[in-house]
Amino acid sequence: MTAETRETEVLVVGAGIAGLAAALAADRAGAEVTLATKASRPESASTWWAQGGIAVSRDDPAQFKRDIIEASAGAADPDAVDVLVDNADSAVRDVLVDTIGVEFDTNGEGFDYGQEAAHEEPRILHVEAATGKHVHVPFLNYIADRTDVTVLEDTAGLELLRHEGEVYGAMLECNGEVTPTYAGATVLATGGIGALYPRSTNPADATGDGIAMAALAGADIADMEYVQFHPTAYVGDDAGDGFLVSEAVRGEGAVLRNADGERFMPDYHEDADLAPRDVVARAVTAERDATGEVVLDVSPLAFEREFPSLAEKCHDAGVDLPHVPVAPAEHFLCGGIDVDDRGRSSLGRLYAVGECARTGVHGANRLASTSLLEGLVWGLRAGEDAVGNEVRGLEPPELLDRDPDLPGNFAAGKFHRLRRVMDEQVGVERTSDGLGRAQSVLRRLKGEVDAYARTRTSRSLYELRSASVVALLVARAAAENGESVGCHYLVDGDERAEQAGVTADTP
Ligand code: SIN
């Protein structure tokens, strides 16, 4: 089951925009690069699913920085924001426009900049509301056809190879065969954690693998309580049928209505339907609870003409336009593997980029259309930095595969339990008691999964292990943060803050 070893100067795990950018930069710098991806189809990466677009600074970088910091509830790291914005336009121009040839929408006067919530001005480059696939497919093709990067599809990272605070590669699995892959540097770009929630805008296998591998290897992890929920995902008949209905649709004039047909967002926030995402997500939840349904009314715009891909999805799903039934869905993890301005983690030779990384750009809440940009900018910087380390072979850990068969439905059953507790206790709204209960359930679940993982190496078991490690990290971080901030909303937050104040002041 363990095959020959493999060696590479730079190992990138994950093939969304961040992993592709890291591979491109390392290849440009002359390194030998191996890119491993669980995916065998482009749509298995979150990048492919991105709708809105990619924000750029246009003529006012200072305003772009202010918008990011304000959306982050003041919690973004200003130095990280400087890195993002100061590199935004050049990275987009160099890689997306000049290298892979993305044709962003234009309007006769130049780029057709889109508007989304919490942006002071229209600054979003897009290809209608299907930007992700128009970036991802040409980027994958470019890496495959025009670089020397070796791409390993259908290949998952199971464990990092670590020795004395440094990472020397990873155990990679393909078709049940595990290959220790030694690397001078390892770049994790494994994406988000949508699989931890019943309703998510991520692809189904976003199980947080990179974060779990890094955490188990001892890397610093930060800001895990900041899970962003997108307010408008089509609800579908089953949670799995849903899809994102881009904020750009509200940017063009669509409005939310409750089951009584009332526009409710003006009662919740002065920016109404374009209020910050966490505010809209909680309002949609409250109105769904109170009236039974919330719809996005797209009648104020020429929906089919302006958003043809989304309109087609709505038709395919049998949506009775102009009213799209919507609910919040897990969308983006602002926290993750703690990294610096070049994507370097707290472990030597280990980098993290894209959604699995915590760069500090998003603070407690992410500004729309900055995730592709962050992946691109940090991917390029990490890929460049990762070059030039010697490959060192080590004794790989022994992964046992004594009992290959899992009990029937084992992974599906445990995932079901995990998603339920995350949805009920670690979702849009949280309580201290609920977070305590969630941690107990998740600790038990992780223990059960670990027991199986000791003697088996199946991918589904490792994905479940990743999900249980990451779920526990999210629940624990949420329980430890007694303050409602950004997308971490504690229903009993004021009470807790008061108690903490009383305790602190009490002699
Ligand atoms: C959207 O299109 O609404 C999503 C944009 C984003 O999350 O950045």
Side-chain angles (χ1 to χ4, degrees):
M1 140 340 269
T2 303
E4 302 287 299
T5 59
R6 186 190 288 123
E7 290 191 2
T8 184
E9 185 177 341
V10 177
L11 171 64
V12 180
V13 186
I17 191 169
L20 294 171
L24 175 69
D27 178 78
R28 279 175 169 177
E32 189 219 344
V33 184
T34 300
L35 176 72
T37 168
K38 277 205 293 194
S40 42
R41 306 170 301 142
E43 55 271 39
S44 301
S46 294
T47 297
W48 191 91
W49 293 50
Q51 294 187 5
I54 184 155
V56 289
S57 61
R58 298 189 66 182
D59 299 327
D60 197 351
Q63 184 60 50
F64 188 15
K65 290 176 188 178
R66 282 196 292 278
D67 289 353
I68 293 173
I69 290 175
E70 192 162 328
S72 78
D77 169 355
D79 294 337
V81 175
D82 284 349
V83 170
L84 183 81
V85 173
D86 295 346
N87 288 284
D89 295 28
S90 58
V92 169
R93 165 76 52 196
D94 164 19
V95 177
L96 302 190
V97 178
D98 294 342
T99 303
I100 66 169
V102 178
E103 294 188 1
F104 291 110
D105 286 357
T106 54
N107 61 12
E109 289 169 16
F111 288 127
D112 175 36
Y113 295 104
Q115 174 74 59
E116 287 179 11
H119 286 271
E120 187 65 26
E121 59 170 348
R123 61 162 77 89
I124 295 155
L125 293 175
H126 60 100
V127 183
E128 55 121 345
T131 312
K133 64 179 163 200
H134 289 280
V135 167
H136 196 216
V137 173
F139 210 160
L140 282 170
N141 290 341
Y142 186 89
I143 291 289
D145 301 338
R146 308 280 296 277
T147 70
D148 293 326
V149 174
T150 302
V151 180
L152 307 174
E153 290 186 352
D154 195 10
T155 300
L158 301 186
E159 297 224 348
L160 293 175
L161 298 167
R162 191 191 65 137
H163 184 64
E164 292 178 353
E166 293 208 313
V167 168
Y168 293 94
M171 301 291 272
L172 299 182
E173 180 273 338
C174 179
N175 284 326
E177 198 155 276
V178 182
T179 308
T181 301
Y182 296 110
T186 303
V187 183
L188 296 173
T190 52
I193 62 165
L196 275 55
Y197 288 87
R199 207 184 289 285
S200 165
T201 62
N202 293 183
D205 58 2
T207 43
D209 305 343
I211 300 172
M213 284 193 287
L216 293 171
D220 291 346
I221 308 290
D223 289 352
M224 292 296 284
E225 66 272 43
Y226 300 126
V227 179
Q228 185 177 71
F229 292 83
H230 197 291
T232 57
Y234 166 61
V235 290
D237 292 331
D238 282 315
D241 304 344
F243 53 81
L244 176 66
V245 184
S246 176
E247 204 159 272
V249 181
R250 276 175 286 134
E252 293 300 315
V255 293
L256 290 158
R257 296 187 187 281
N258 62 23
D260 303 326
E262 286 160 5
R263 262 198 85 186
F264 56 85
M265 276 315 301
D267 299 336
Y268 285 84
H269 196 278
E270 59 184 7
D271 292 335
D273 299 88
L274 288 179
R277 260 181 205 175
D278 59 303
V279 176
V280 185
R282 286 196 298 278
V284 169
T285 303
E287 295 292 325
R288 274 172 58 85
D289 288 349
T291 72
E293 187 182 55
V294 165
V295 297
L296 186 65
D297 175 2
V298 299
S299 61
L301 62 148
F303 183 59
E304 317 230 353
R305 182 170 54 74
E306 291 183 51
F307 296 99
S309 309
L310 259 177
E312 194 182 318
K313 275 187 166 190
C314 288
H315 285 306
D316 291 349
V319 174
D320 192 11
L321 289 174
H323 292 149
V324 189
V326 291
E330 191 282 341
H331 186 54
F332 188 87
L333 175 65
C334 301
I337 305 162
D338 202 15
V339 296
D340 69 6
D341 65 352
R342 296 244 162 221
R344 293 178 281 231
S345 77
S346 61
L347 296 178
R349 300 173 182 226
L350 180 68
Y351 295 76
V353 293
E355 192 173 345
C356 71
R358 181 269 181 201
T359 61
V361 159
H362 307 306
N365 210 352
R366 182 178 63 86
L367 180 68
S369 287
T370 54
S371 54
L372 294 180
L373 182 62
E374 184 198 37
L376 177 65
V377 169
W378 256 265
L380 293 173
R381 292 169 71 80
E384 251 171 39
D385 202 80
V387 171
N389 293 296
E390 206 184 308
V391 182
R392 206 179 125 190
L394 288 169
E395 195 56 42
E398 199 186 358
L399 299 184
L400 296 178
D401 208 16
R402 274 204 309 259
D403 310 303
D405 293 332
L406 283 174
N409 265 340
F410 177 83
K414 299 281 184 251
F415 256 119
H416 180 75
R417 197 157 112 221
L418 183 147
R419 287 188 188 112
R420 206 175 64 207
V421 73
M422 292 302 282
D423 187 42
E424 288 173 358
Q425 314 295 358
V426 201
V428 174
E429 296 184 341
R430 301 151 180 191
T431 65
S432 305
D433 283 353
L435 290 169
R437 279 197 299 280
Q439 285 183 88
S440 312
V441 173
L442 292 168
R443 252 186 243 115
R444 241 185 348 264
L445 193 141
K446 180 176 168 304
E448 289 159 18
V449 174
D450 283 349
Y452 278 93
R454 262 175 228 126
T455 54
R456 296 169 175 84
T457 57
S458 85
R459 188 182 303 183
S460 62
L461 187 59
Y462 269 77
E463 289 183 326
L464 179 59
R465 186 180 78 153
S466 295
S468 64
V469 167
V470 175
L472 201 46
L473 288 169
V474 174
R476 191 184 298 151
E480 283 170 0
N481 185 350
E483 190 191 352
S484 287
V485 49
C487 47
H488 170 56
Y489 185 76
L490 270 176
V491 174
D492 56 347
D494 291 346
E495 216 175 284
R496 269 182 63 176
E498 224 169 80
Q499 279 166 9
V502 168
T503 313
D505 294 344
T506 309

